[in-house]
């Protein structure tokens, strides 16, 4: 029996999945659950019946929602039973679904916003063929968000296996990597940093993909140690548009066939509305959507660029604009620093006081004085955090990123 999903000690086969969908006469348009198999099954029943779906985080607080009737959550609605002769027929039905799929932004910079997608915008980056068969995907994302959905569709449309490692501890992830035969991983840089330090290597992993946050050379070097046989890709995707760019390293390139779909204004990346889902919250400049992502050109003539920061993450320190990711990059160069997060704390005089939290590798010792001495000469004075705190762990967003 081909395996669809491994979730802790539970294993679900594709034949079981097909049987359950064939015998489903109802689904939940607004479904909230922490059970990954139930979530995927409900999603597929909705898609093959061309029914609307609203994807809700398992821990979503109802006060965060706007424009949604909470009384409709987990209420079943009937669908016409459809029988599929094979898994290939099921996959084709999903690929041609007419469903409207509503997902929410992460809400890290305000109230979560609804974005409506079609199966075409959600699966733009999916690749299918014999070369993609037999893959085993580590599932390291929240399933209700864009990155998790894209991993799901990539695996499902090729009848691959998913292994749930989302929100697992370092020891649990290492154990699964060792036992489950995972060949492909897609996760945030934060996820990979949590696997530090390198204690053993995993040679079965063939491809590693990073997305959702800025990464750095130190992290790439670590990933190469941990997964010595893997190709490393960096992906740019958003809730609004899905996956758009892929790169090896930090330099992205605008595809030639999409060159007219992107603009840059005052260092901000703009995306043509034809590449987006639909939402009343989108703000356009003409026909282009302002992403809030600030970039710098590496080679403008070839469309090669790198991301600098998020526009809304710049911190006002006494009239100066500080990019927290620039400071984090320098902090991560310090030997022994496993992870760093920089943020502003409101201050009546300066606007904000710059703060940093650091996690140090086990067995390493660093002091605040050593950190400050390292930063002197590498950063302007106003970019050096005034408050430095050593922590054991960080708060994460629902999408697995570090919460500022």
């Amino acid at each position: 029996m081909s395996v669809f999903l491994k979730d802790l000690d539970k294993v679900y086969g594709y034949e079981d999945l097909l049987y359950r969908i064939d015998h489903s006469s109802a689904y939940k348009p607004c479904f909230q659950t922490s059970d990954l198999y139930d979530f995927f099954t409900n999603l597929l029943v909705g898609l093959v019946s061309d029914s609307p779906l609203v994807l809700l985080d398992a821990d979503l607080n109802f006060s965060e929602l706007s424009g949604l009737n909470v009384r409709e959550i987990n209420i079943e609605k009937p669908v016409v039973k459809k029988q599929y002769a094979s898994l290939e027929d099921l996959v084709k039905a999903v690929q041609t679904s007419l469903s409207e799929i509503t997902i929410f932004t992460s809400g890290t910079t305000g109230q979560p916003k609804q974005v409506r997608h079609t199966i075409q915008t959600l699966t733009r980056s999916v690749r299918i063929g014999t070369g993609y068969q037999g893959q085993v995907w580590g599932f390291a994302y929240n399933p209700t968000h864009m990155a998790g959905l894209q991993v799901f569709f990539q695996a499902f449309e090729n009848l691959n296996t998913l292994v749930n490692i989302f929100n697992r501890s370092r020891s649990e992830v290492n154990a699964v990597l060792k036992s489950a035969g995972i060949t492909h991983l897609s996760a945030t840089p934060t996820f990979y940093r949590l696997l530090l330090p390198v204690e053993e290597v995993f040679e079965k992993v063939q491809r590693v993909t990073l997305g959702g946050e800025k990464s750095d050379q130190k992290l790439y070097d670590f990933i190469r140690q941990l997964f010595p046989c893997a190709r490393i890709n960096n992906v740019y995707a958003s809730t609004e548009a899905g996956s758009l760019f892929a790169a090896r390293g930090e330099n992205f390139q605008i595809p030639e066939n999409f060159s007219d779909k992107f603009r840059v204004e005052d260092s901000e990346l703009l995306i043509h509305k034809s590449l987006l889902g639909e939402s009343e919250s989108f703000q356009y400049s003409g026909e282009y959507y302002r992403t809030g992502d600030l970039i710098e050109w590496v080679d403008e003539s070839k469309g090669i660029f790198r991301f600098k920061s998020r526009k809304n993450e710049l911190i006002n320190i006494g009239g100066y604009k500080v990019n927290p990711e620039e400071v984090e990059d320098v902090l991560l160069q310090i030997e022994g620093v496993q992870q760093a997060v920089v943020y502003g704390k409101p201050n009546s005089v300066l606007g904000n006081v710059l703060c940093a939290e650091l996690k140090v590798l086990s067995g390493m010792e660093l002091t605040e004085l050593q950190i400050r001495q390292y930063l002197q000469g590498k950063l302007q004075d106003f970019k050096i955090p005034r408050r430095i705190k050593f922590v054991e762990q960080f708060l994460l967003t629902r999408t697995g990123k570090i919460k500022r």
Side-chain angles (χ1 to χ4, degrees), residues 247-290:
R248 293 182 187 176
E250 62 178 354
N251 294 339
F252 293 83
Q253 185 169 20
I254 297 173
E256 286 188 18
N257 57 327
F258 280 165
S259 60
D260 61 335
K261 303 297 184 184
F262 299 93
R263 284 168 43 186
V264 177
E265 292 182 1
D266 297 325
S267 298
E268 183 180 2
L269 182 68
L270 278 65
I271 303 174
H272 192 268
K273 63 182 183 181
S274 63
L275 297 179
L276 305 176
E278 296 182 0
S279 176
E280 284 71 33
S281 65
F282 288 167
Q283 294 184 357
Y284 292 101
S285 175
E287 295 189 331
Y288 288 81
Y289 169 70
R290 294 190 171 276

Side-chain angles (χ1 to χ4, degrees), residues 3 5-13 35 37-38 162 164:
V3 175
L5 173 68
K6 295 181 180 179
D7 190 3
L8 294 176
D9 58 343
K10 298 177 181 177
V11 179
Y12 305 93
D35 188 299
Y37 184 63
D38 285 346
L162 290 165
N164 188 19

